[in-house]
Amino acid sequence: MKQSELNGTNLTLQDLVTIARAKPTDAKVTICPKAWERMQRSRQVVLDIVKKGKPVYGINTGFGALASKQIADKDLGQLQYNLIRSHCTGVGAPFSREVTRAIMLSRANCLIQGFSGVTPETIKLLLDMINHGINPVIPEKGSVGASGDLAPLSHVALALIGEGDVEYQGKVVRSDFAFHQVGLTAAILGPKDGLALINGTSVMLALGAIAVIDSDRIMKQADIISCLTLDAVRGTPSAFDMRISQLKPQIGQVDVSANLLKIIAGSEIIHSHPEDGKVQDPYSLRCIPQVHGACRQTLRHAREVLECELNSVTDNPLVFPETGEVVSGGNFHGEALALCMDYLAMGVSEIGNIAERRVEKMMNPHFSDLPAFLTKNSGLNSGLMIAHVTMAALASENKGLCHPASIDSIPTSTDKEDHVSMGVTAGRKLLEVIKNVQHCLAIELLCNTQGVEFLRPLKTSPALERVITLVRKHVAPIEDDRVFHKDIEWLYRLVQNGEIIAEAEQVTGPLN
C-alpha cells in the first residue's frame, strides 16, 4: 500500500494522479501532525471572531452579493448547511472515479495548509472517504471557474455532511449509509466550514493534473509511433540530425530529435533504400521534431502552472493565525489554469493532426509504395480505409474542442463576480482532446505495424521491434478485412497505460 502523509506543500501531480487511480486498498492518505496543528490554530481564529461578534466575510455574513448581511451567532451553523445545499446545482454526467478522487485530494491538500480556518476533523473525513473508496457523485457541469468551483465542490461537501449520493462498492448510495458501513460519522459544519470546502480551484486542478500525466505519455508515444511510420513508408531520419536542432535550440525540438534518433537506431529498413530516392519527406515526417517539440512546450508550461497551484492556497477569505487577520482576496480565480489547459489542448490536438497526415501517407500507394489501404487484396478488401476516416473525424473534432474556454467570461452574482475563468470547461474539453488523440495514436499504430509487415523480412530498430511484439500480443497482422474496432480499442488501452513507452525504453533507456 502506498501511504502518503500530506503537509499541504509536498504533493506532486504524479502523486495526485497515482492516488486518484489507485484502489482504496492500494493507497492511504493521512495528515501530518504539524499540518493538523496549523489547522487548529487557524480554526481558533475563526472561533475567536465569532465570540467578538465583529462582521467578517465568510464567517458571520452572507456570501457573494449578500456579503453585507450579518448573520446571528445562533444561525452560523445553519448558514453553512444552507450554503452547501443551495450550491448543489451541478448538472450532467458525473465525473469519473479518478477525477472525483483527484478533486477530493486536491481540496484536502489546499485546506490542510492552515489558512482556511476549517474544522480539522472535516478534512480528515474527506481523506477517510478516499481511503475507504467512498466517492461523491459530482455532476461535471456548473462551474464558471471563479469564486471557486462552487457547484461541483458543493456536491463533495454534501456527501461529507451525510446528505449526498456517493459511489461505494459499485453502487450509488447515500453517503450516510456508506459512512455507517465503514464506521465513519458525517461532518458537522461550523462557521466558515462550508465556504472553505467549496471556494477554490480544486476541480479544474484535478482535471489539469490528470491531463498533464496523460499528455506526458502521449508526447513520448508520439515520438515512438512516428518513427515506426517513418520506417513503414521508407522515410529518412536525416532531418533529425542534432546539428539541425542545435541551430534552432527550442528545448522541445532538441528533446524530440534526441528521442527519435535513439528510437530509430539500428533499423535495417533505413539502410535498405537510397536516401535520395524521394529527395525530402513530407512535413509530417520531416518536421516531427519541430511539431512534436512545440507541443511538448505547451505541456511544459501546463506542468509548471499546475504544480504551483497544487500546493497553493485557493480559499477565500484567508485566515492568518500569526496576526489573527482574515483577509479577502481572489485566489479562487482559475485564470492561470484555464489559460494553460487551453494551451495544452492545442498542443495535444496538434499531435493528433500531424499523426493523421502520417496515416494518410501510408494509405496512399503513390507515396508509400505500400498496398492501397494496407491490404493485400484491395477491392475485395477495404483494409484500413475507414480506420483513417475515423482518425480524420477525431482530428477534426479536436479543432472545435480547442476553441479556448478561457477567452469567455460571463458575469454572475448580480455582477459582483464579473469576470470568470471557465477553467472547468477548459479542463473537461482538454480531457476529451486527450482521449481523441490517444485513439489517433492507436490507429497510427495499427497502420504502421501493418505497413512494416509488407517490408519483411527486413526489421525496424530493436526498440520498435519490441513495440511490434507488444502489439502482436493483442492485434494479429491483417490478412483480410475484419472488425477493426476491437483492434483499435486494444491499442488504445496500450497507449493509455504507457506499455509502449516501457517496451521502447528497454532498448533506448529513459526517453525525454
Side-chain angles (χ1 to χ4, degrees):
M1 175 181 285
K2 176 181 174 59
Q3 298 201 36
S4 301
E5 187 178 77
L6 302 184
N7 64 21
T9 60
N10 65 339
L11 194 60
T12 68
L13 295 176
Q14 184 62 68
D15 288 339
L16 179 74
V17 176
T18 297
I19 294 167
R21 289 176 167 163
K23 298 176 182 177
T25 53
D26 295 338
K28 183 177 181 181
V29 192
T30 59
I31 302 171
C32 83
K34 289 185 178 179
W36 188 272
E37 292 173 8
R38 290 198 303 270
M39 283 195 291
Q40 287 180 317
R41 287 198 297 272
S42 67
R43 183 61 181 166
Q44 190 58 52
V45 172
V46 170
L47 297 178
D48 290 345
I49 288 171
V50 171
K51 286 181 181 178
K52 293 175 183 176
K54 179 182 177 181
V56 176
Y57 175 72
I59 295 176
N60 51 14
T61 70
F63 307 109
L66 302 175
S68 61
K69 293 185 177 294
Q70 187 168 355
I71 308 301
D73 288 0
K74 66 181 179 61
D75 295 325
L76 293 183
Q78 188 63 46
L79 174 69
Q80 301 299 314
Y81 283 91
N82 289 349
L83 175 72
I84 299 306
R85 291 167 183 154
S86 67
H87 283 47
C88 282
T89 58
V91 299
F95 282 117
S96 67
R97 174 185 178 275
E98 68 179 20
V99 170
T100 298
R101 287 169 60 85
I103 291 169
M104 297 163 72
L105 185 56
S106 62
R107 193 70 206 136
N109 194 60
C110 166
L111 296 176
I112 67 174
Q113 294 186 52
F115 294 95
S116 296
V118 69
T119 302
E121 288 77 11
T122 300
I123 308 311
K124 180 180 183 300
L125 177 61
L126 188 57
L127 296 183
D128 286 339
M129 291 174 70
I130 295 173
N131 295 335
H132 287 285
I134 300 172
N135 306 310
V137 176
I138 311 172
E140 64 182 4
K141 297 181 182 181
S143 174
V144 294
S147 280
D149 292 324
L150 298 172
L153 287 175
S154 292
H155 287 271
V156 177
L158 194 69
L160 278 167
I161 63 176
E163 298 179 13
D165 287 338
V166 297
E167 183 274 324
Y168 175 64
Q169 295 186 344
K171 297 180 181 179
V172 175
V173 298
R174 274 258 303 206
S175 56
D176 54 353
F177 174 83
F179 290 162
H180 179 73
Q181 299 303 302
V182 298
L184 298 175
T185 303
I188 298 175
L189 301 180
K192 198 179 182 295
D193 283 338
L195 185 62
L197 288 169
I198 67 174
N199 212 359
T201 60
S202 302
V203 176
M204 63 186 92
L205 173 59
L207 295 167
I210 291 169
V212 163
I213 298 305
D214 287 350
S215 296
D216 185 72
R217 288 180 176 174
I218 282 174
M219 300 302 173
K220 289 183 181 180
Q221 288 175 111
D223 292 352
I224 296 165
I225 293 168
S226 64
C227 281
L228 197 47
T229 299
L230 183 80
D231 255 1
V233 299
R234 299 181 181 90
T236 173
S238 61
F240 310 155
D241 191 316
M242 290 302 296
R243 292 173 298 177
I244 295 173
S245 288
Q246 285 163 359
L247 293 176
K248 184 184 177 181
Q250 296 283 359
I251 188 167
Q253 177 178 330
V254 171
D255 285 347
V256 171
S257 291
N259 279 353
L260 299 175
L261 293 172
K262 286 182 181 180
I263 294 161
I264 204 73
S267 169
E268 294 178 5
I269 296 172
I270 287 174
H271 302 293
S272 71
H273 56 87
E275 187 169 302
D276 60 354
K278 296 175 184 174
V279 185
Q280 290 187 122
D281 288 324
Y283 291 173
S284 59
L285 297 167
R286 194 187 344 151
C287 298
I288 292 171
Q290 289 77 14
V291 177
H292 286 196
C295 296
R296 281 169 171 258
Q297 289 177 207
T298 69
L299 173 59
R300 178 183 292 268
H301 174 63
R303 185 187 295 278
E304 177 183 318
V305 172
L306 288 156
E307 282 179 342
C308 176
E309 193 85 6
L310 179 58
N311 292 303
S312 298
V313 180
T314 62
D315 190 14
N316 181 63
L318 297 178
V319 178
F320 295 91
E322 293 79 7
T323 62
E325 293 176 282
V326 177
V327 184
S328 289
N331 277 3
F332 50 70
H333 203 292
E335 188 77 0
L337 278 68
L339 285 166
C340 81
M341 289 191 290
D342 280 338
Y343 185 37
L344 179 56
M346 290 187 281
V348 174
S349 179
E350 278 296 276
I351 293 291
N353 279 342
I354 194 171
E356 183 275 326
R357 291 291 81 202
R358 291 193 294 263
V359 167
E360 193 281 331
K361 299 300 180 290
M362 288 185 280
M363 297 294 106
N364 186 347
H366 300 295
F367 172 81
S368 69
D369 297 325
L370 295 168
F373 305 114
L374 301 174
T375 186
K376 292 178 181 177
N377 190 5
S378 58
L380 176 62
N381 289 312
S382 295
L384 293 170
M385 177 194 300
I386 306 304
H388 172 234
V389 171
T390 296
M391 191 176 187
L394 295 170
S396 183
E397 180 178 292
N398 279 349
K399 295 169 188 176
L401 290 169
C402 283
H403 178 82
S406 55
I407 64 171
D408 186 31
S409 181
I410 188 166
T412 59
S413 196
T414 64
D415 212 30
K416 173 79 76 171
E417 298 158 6
D418 58 347
H419 183 278
V420 296
S421 74
M422 298 299 177
V424 171
T425 304
R428 288 174 45 242
K429 293 196 299 97
L430 171 56
L431 290 188
E432 192 67 21
V433 169
I434 286 170
K435 288 178 184 177
N436 286 345
V437 172
Q438 288 169 333
H439 275 105
C440 285
L441 292 178
I443 292 170
E444 185 178 8
L445 193 57
L446 176 64
C447 294
N448 58 26
T449 50
Q450 178 65 12
V452 170
E453 293 293 332
F454 292 110
L455 306 183
R456 296 301 192 195
L458 291 173
K459 291 185 176 182
T460 182
S461 72
L464 294 175
E465 287 293 340
R466 288 190 69 99
V467 172
I468 293 171
T469 299
L470 172 65
V471 168
R472 291 290 171 246
K473 290 179 182 178
H474 305 284
V475 176
I478 300 167
E479 298 295 333
D480 295 296
D481 283 352
R482 63 185 188 230
V483 179
F484 294 119
H485 161 77
K486 296 180 180 178
D487 297 330
I488 294 168
E489 288 307 307
W490 269 114
L491 296 177
Y492 170 66
R493 285 193 282 272
L494 291 182
V495 170
Q496 273 191 315
N497 64 29
E499 286 184 66
I500 293 164
I501 300 170
E503 285 301 317
E505 288 184 338
Q506 290 292 318
V507 177
T508 65
L511 294 169
N512 295 319

